[in-house]
Amino acid sequence: MRDMSSAVSVSDPAVSTPITVSVVDDDPMICQAMSLILNDYSQGRVVVVSTSGSGAEAVEKARIEHPDVVLMDIAMPNGDGIEATARLRGLSDPPHVLILTSLSPKGTVERAAEAGAEGFVSKTDAPEEIIDRIIGACEGRPQYNPASQRQLLADLHEHRPMTRRDEARALLNSLSEREREAVLLAAEGLTNQEIAERMFTSERTAKAHLSAASDKLCMSRVQIAQLVGRADLPSPLEY
């Protein structure tokens, strides 16, 4: 796994080294649009170093350019994007790979995860959301939106049935570390102020973490508390 800690600190605005991205799509208009979005809206945090029209071309360029992240379309000539993802992840200096798609057909999410993709980016997402997903991947956070999470669980159910406990744990693990911490504290019945005190942050920030978790899981606070209960989490030393 590429270690971004020595290359760029995306949370520190004083650091000027941008995340380098390669966009892969057989539609030149999509490549152009994504390049404009990333270069114009990221305020220097992200820069597109190349675009490719096929998976094979993307792999060859990655050998030379060593991008931090590759946005990979699925259906393309010369092998699909998931096959290209596996080849990219097999390089000596592998990039993070996010699948660039507008759909999540059956089996796609599971195949993408098995190939080494770290999440999905929708072609219809808002620019800031796309940028946040790229940054999140570089920080080691899986970038699966609610739709892809649900598809992944459905695919896993079909081939490797999961227990309700495992389902709950998988959903909780899809959250960022701070979102997950806030959710677990909320499930204990703590108020927002108490959660903020335990997390050594402001009440506003604690509420933002809970709101983000609710949006990602498509669940209310009560439903999330029930999810935590189903997860039956062991102590931190055991889990």
Side-chain angles (χ1 to χ4, degrees), residues 113-191:
E114 289 175 346
E118 296 169 58
F120 279 65
V121 170
S122 173
K123 297 175 183 178
T124 59
D125 283 343
E128 191 57 39
E129 185 172 353
I130 295 173
I131 293 164
D132 285 346
R133 290 196 182 282
I134 290 171
I135 293 173
C138 288
E139 292 177 342
R141 294 184 280 112
Q143 297 300 307
Y144 290 92
N145 58 23
S148 58
Q149 288 176 27
R150 288 191 293 269
Q151 184 62 62
L152 177 58
L153 290 176
D155 292 341
L156 291 173
H157 264 305
E158 183 173 342
H159 299 104
R160 294 185 296 276
M162 301 171 68
T163 67
R164 284 168 57 83
R165 184 193 68 179
D166 291 337
E167 276 187 12
R169 290 185 180 183
L171 287 171
L172 290 174
N173 285 338
S174 71
L175 303 176
S176 72
E177 182 178 352
R178 295 293 275 175
E179 291 164 356
R180 189 173 184 274
E181 183 179 359
V183 161
L184 296 181
L185 291 172
E188 294 178 12
L190 274 63
T191 65

Side-chain angles (χ1 to χ4, degrees), residues 1 23 172:
M1 178 68 68
V23 180
L172 290 174

Side-chain angles (χ1 to χ4, degrees), residues 73-114:
D73 190 27
I74 296 176
M76 293 184 298
N78 301 323
D80 70 10
I82 294 177
E83 293 174 354
T85 294
R87 293 177 61 192
L88 286 169
R89 296 297 298 156
L91 296 177
S92 59
D93 185 23
H96 301 278
V97 180
L98 296 174
I99 299 300
L100 180 62
T101 184
S102 55
L103 299 171
S104 293
K106 186 176 180 180
T108 295
V109 181
E110 183 182 10
R111 288 181 61 222
E114 289 175 346

Side-chain angles (χ1 to χ4, degrees), residues 3-236:
D3 182 3
M4 292 295 298
S5 59
S6 61
V8 58
S9 175
V10 294
S11 61
D12 184 353
V15 176
S16 59
T17 304
I19 295 171
T20 55
V21 175
S22 179
V23 180
V24 188
D25 197 296
D26 62 338
D27 185 342
M29 294 298 292
I30 296 294
C31 289
Q32 181 180 17
M34 293 301 301
S35 297
L36 289 173
I37 287 173
L38 298 179
N39 289 329
D40 292 352
Y41 285 85
S42 68
Q43 298 179 328
R45 294 173 294 172
V46 175
V47 60
V48 175
V49 293
S50 69
T51 62
S52 301
S54 71
E57 181 184 0
V59 173
E60 291 308 309
K61 286 186 176 180
R63 295 183 194 277
I64 300 170
E65 298 166 347
H66 306 290
D68 298 314
V69 178
V70 173
L71 299 185
M72 177 69 70
D73 190 27
I74 296 176
M76 293 184 298
N78 301 323
D80 70 10
I82 294 177
E83 293 174 354
T85 294
R87 293 177 61 192
L88 286 169
R89 296 297 298 156
L91 296 177
S92 59
D93 185 23
H96 301 278
V97 180
L98 296 174
I99 299 300
L100 180 62
T101 184
S102 55
L103 299 171
S104 293
K106 186 176 180 180
T108 295
V109 181
E110 183 182 10
R111 288 181 61 222
E114 289 175 346
E118 296 169 58
F120 279 65
V121 170
S122 173
K123 297 175 183 178
T124 59
D125 283 343
E128 191 57 39
E129 185 172 353
I130 295 173
I131 293 164
D132 285 346
R133 290 196 182 282
I134 290 171
I135 293 173
C138 288
E139 292 177 342
R141 294 184 280 112
Q143 297 300 307
Y144 290 92
N145 58 23
S148 58
Q149 288 176 27
R150 288 191 293 269
Q151 184 62 62
L152 177 58
L153 290 176
D155 292 341
L156 291 173
H157 264 305
E158 183 173 342
H159 299 104
R160 294 185 296 276
M162 301 171 68
T163 67
R164 284 168 57 83
R165 184 193 68 179
D166 291 337
E167 276 187 12
R169 290 185 180 183
L171 287 171
L172 290 174
N173 285 338
S174 71
L175 303 176
S176 72
E177 182 178 352
R178 295 293 275 175
E179 291 164 356
R180 189 173 184 274
E181 183 179 359
V183 161
L184 296 181
L185 291 172
E188 294 178 12
L190 274 63
T191 65
N192 289 343
Q193 181 59 46
E194 290 170 334
I195 293 172
E197 292 172 357
R198 291 277 290 273
M199 295 180 67
F200 301 101
T201 188
S202 67
E203 183 174 358
R204 179 178 180 181
T205 300
K207 289 174 65 177
H209 288 316
L210 290 169
S211 177
S214 179
D215 290 343
K216 286 182 180 180
L217 298 174
C218 297
M219 294 181 180
S220 67
R221 189 161 177 159
V222 172
Q223 290 173 318
I224 291 176
Q226 294 171 338
L227 180 72
V228 172
R230 288 202 304 274
D232 188 26
L233 297 175
S235 68

